[in-house]
Amino acid sequence: MTTIEHRVATGVSFALTEEQKGLRDLARDFAQKEIRLKAAEYDERSTHPADIIEKAHEVGLMNPHVPEEYGGAGLSSFDGMLIGEELSWGCAGIAVSIVANTLGATPVMLAGSDDQKRKWLVPLIESPILCSFGLTEPNAGSDVSGIETTAVRVGDDYVINGSKMFITNAGHAAWIVVFASTDKSQGHKGLSAFVVPTDLEGVTVEKHLDKMGQRATDTSAIAFQDVRVPAENLLGEEGEGFKIAMRTLDHTRPGTAAGAVGVARAAYEYAVEYSRTRVQFGQPIAMNQGVNFLIADMAAEIEAARLLTWQAAWLFDQGRRATLHSSFAKRFASDTAMKVTTDAVQIFGGYGYMKEYPVEKLMRDAKLFQIYEGTSQIQRLVIAREIFFPRD
Ligand code: CAA
């Protein structure tokens, strides 16, 4: 299995290069003009933001890590963090619709042959098509080795049967990486990964799920009934699926953490502004220590979450395994987003609980960061294992 070749960042510096500032400003401007103003409407209707995805693709904010040889910009993992935070600051639901291609495409980037990369990655650059990551099942969420979907070799094909749950963009994806068991007796060592075009016979998007937050993202259940997939769609070798999934999540969890930082930052900014202007007992509520200490903690924790996120991305850009630091970033940033958005609602008081004020949505959106791409408890499990049973 190869590693994703990100552009190598040099040294350690907290100062962004001019190129990185330009990228961040592009994403910030896009979030301000194209995302934030429409966030409440997409949240209310829970509809897929196809028009915004198309624009994001047009300006180059999608699929940032696809290598140049496959038509992409080949941006670093670090650069991806800058984009992710800004888009999510605009709206986490719309942002996830845009950045989820990275989750779908990473198994191909990590384990695909040159032919497979050419076949599946190049079209992502050419047009705003979507791809998904099909790991979770109704009975296998945290426990990946419990996957029940099967893939049986028949001639030059594999026949796939099973169903996947909570799959981002599944209702709109052109293809999905499906993790399935090719040998039940081998447990996690019997899992394999396949690229499955969604227009194959037997693929059915079962339902669009009605979520509490991040409602602009399509999250669907998808079923596979006797789906014949050419054997050439197998990524890596049979039995490598579990490790492909884990290594994918190592790469993408910092991106999720960056999204959580974006949501936390949005809530923090609203809370600062509100506490400056809301007058109670004859003075702005920001004058009360009970309020400004909450804001002081928000500021410090957001900064810490961002630095952990940057560090994990930087490790990948050095070509190093970053399982531990990815989980540090994902765990800390998700929990920070939950805490900061909850405190922002508290600072807004009764208004904060109302839908016409923005922090209520941010609190709902924040919750999902503690659940998808591995719950906060799974991140602690990964961290504890890395401490007590470190792998090379
Ligand atoms: N990199 C490479 N190899 C790894 C690895 C990693 N990060 N983590 C584990 N492995 C290897 C182990 O070394 C071990 O190798 P051997 O078989 O050679 O010994 C093997 O994989 C099995 O590892 P474990 O014994 O640790 O496996 P486990 O069954 O105990 O599970 C787990 C570990 C961390 C709990 C894992 O199941 C996990 O990450 N669960 C969470 C799943 C998750 O994040 N799901 C989110 C789905 S995606 C999503 O939410 C996005 C969306 O679209 C909504």
Side-chain angles (χ1 to χ4, degrees):
M1 213 184 296
T2 57
T3 52
I4 295 177
E5 291 195 10
H6 292 131
R7 210 180 290 170
V8 174
T10 49
V12 172
S13 166
F14 298 111
L16 302 183
T17 63
E18 287 309 311
E19 204 180 2
Q20 286 169 331
K21 282 186 201 158
L23 185 66
R24 183 199 56 194
D25 292 349
L26 173 74
R28 187 170 285 181
D29 193 53
F30 188 85
Q32 178 75 57
K33 295 191 177 122
E34 304 292 343
I35 298 182
R36 193 170 254 212
L37 300 176
K38 298 172 190 161
E41 183 192 331
Y42 278 98
D43 175 60
E44 179 72 22
R45 289 193 280 126
S46 186
T47 42
H48 175 68
D51 55 335
I52 305 179
I53 291 172
E54 272 173 38
K55 285 183 190 156
H57 187 271
E58 206 176 292
V59 299
L61 289 172
M62 278 184 82
N63 312 302
H65 309 305
V66 170
E68 287 174 6
E69 59 196 296
Y70 303 108
L75 295 185
S76 68
S77 182
F78 190 98
D79 293 344
M81 301 306 114
L82 302 177
I83 297 173
E85 178 180 333
E86 297 307 325
L87 298 185
S88 195
W89 172 89
C91 169
I94 295 173
V96 167
S97 306
I98 295 169
V99 302
N101 264 22
T102 294
L103 182 59
T106 296
V108 179
M109 290 193 262
L110 283 172
S113 64
D114 180 51
D115 282 351
Q116 287 173 326
K117 289 179 186 169
R118 210 159 291 287
K119 179 164 183 187
W120 302 111
L121 300 180
V122 172
L124 297 181
I125 303 302
E126 289 173 347
S127 65
I129 63 168
L130 300 177
C131 59
S132 294
F133 181 74
L135 186 69
T136 304
E137 298 188 352
N139 297 321
S142 294
D143 182 8
V144 173
S145 61
I147 279 177
E148 292 169 349
T149 296
T150 55
V152 177
R153 180 85 191 234
V154 180
D156 289 339
D157 296 334
Y158 283 89
V159 178
I160 298 186
N161 278 288
S163 49
K164 296 289 172 182
M165 190 63 166
F166 307 132
I167 305 302
T168 302
N169 282 342
H172 304 271
W175 51 267
I176 172 168
V177 174
V178 173
F179 293 86
S181 178
T182 39
D183 184 350
K184 280 272 179 201
S185 68
Q186 295 289 314
H188 73 267
K189 288 194 162 92
L191 291 182
S192 305
F194 301 88
V195 181
V196 180
T198 53
D199 59 0
L200 289 183
E201 207 180 323
V203 179
T204 315
V205 177
E206 294 202 306
K207 74 173 175 191
H208 166 79
L209 301 158
D210 195 11
K211 301 194 297 298
M212 171 199 277
Q214 303 197 14
R215 289 170 53 77
T217 314
D218 165 52
T219 305
S220 294
I222 184 164
F224 304 87
Q225 193 180 0
D226 294 329
V227 179
R228 289 188 85 98
V229 180
E232 66 190 33
N233 289 19
L234 172 70
L235 293 173
E237 302 291 330
E238 269 193 26
E240 287 186 349
F242 190 92
K243 289 191 182 173
I244 294 171
M246 291 303 114
R247 293 192 56 210
T248 296
L249 292 167
D250 282 354
H251 275 270
T252 57
R253 283 174 179 157
T256 304
V261 172
V263 167
R265 194 183 100 213
Y268 160 80
E269 289 170 3
Y270 282 126
V272 169
E273 188 190 329
Y274 185 79
S275 60
R276 273 203 186 110
T277 51
R278 171 73 172 170
V279 174
Q280 291 290 279
F281 304 107
Q283 61 178 1
I285 61 170
M287 293 301 112
N288 301 322
Q289 213 172 59
V291 171
N292 63 34
F293 273 21
L294 284 179
I295 287 177
D297 282 348
M298 286 180 184
E301 283 159 27
I302 291 168
E303 199 73 15
R306 182 183 295 112
L307 292 177
L308 280 174
T309 299
W310 283 8
Q311 185 189 27
W314 177 85
L315 282 166
F316 280 121
D317 292 336
Q318 303 299 305
R320 290 156 67 177
R321 190 169 72 81
T323 306
L324 177 65
H325 293 82
S326 285
S327 285
F328 280 163
K330 167 73 167 63
R331 203 292 286 162
F332 191 80
S334 304
D335 292 351
T336 294
M338 196 66 244
K339 179 168 181 292
V340 167
T341 55
T342 306
D343 287 346
V345 169
Q346 192 67 21
I347 288 170
F348 272 70
Y351 293 112
Y353 204 65
M354 299 297 133
K355 278 191 177 279
E356 60 188 293
Y357 282 78
V359 286
E360 166 275 339
K361 171 183 179 294
L362 294 172
M363 188 175 161
R364 286 186 285 109
D365 286 349
K367 186 63 202 166
L368 192 47
F369 288 109
Q370 293 181 308
I371 297 172
Y372 61 18
E373 292 210 29
T375 62
S376 292
Q377 289 68 33
I378 286 293
Q379 305 313 320
R380 288 180 173 91
L381 182 151
V382 171
I383 292 165
R385 286 187 183 178
E386 289 286 317
I387 292 168
F388 291 106
F389 309 102
R391 284 175 294 115
D392 291 337

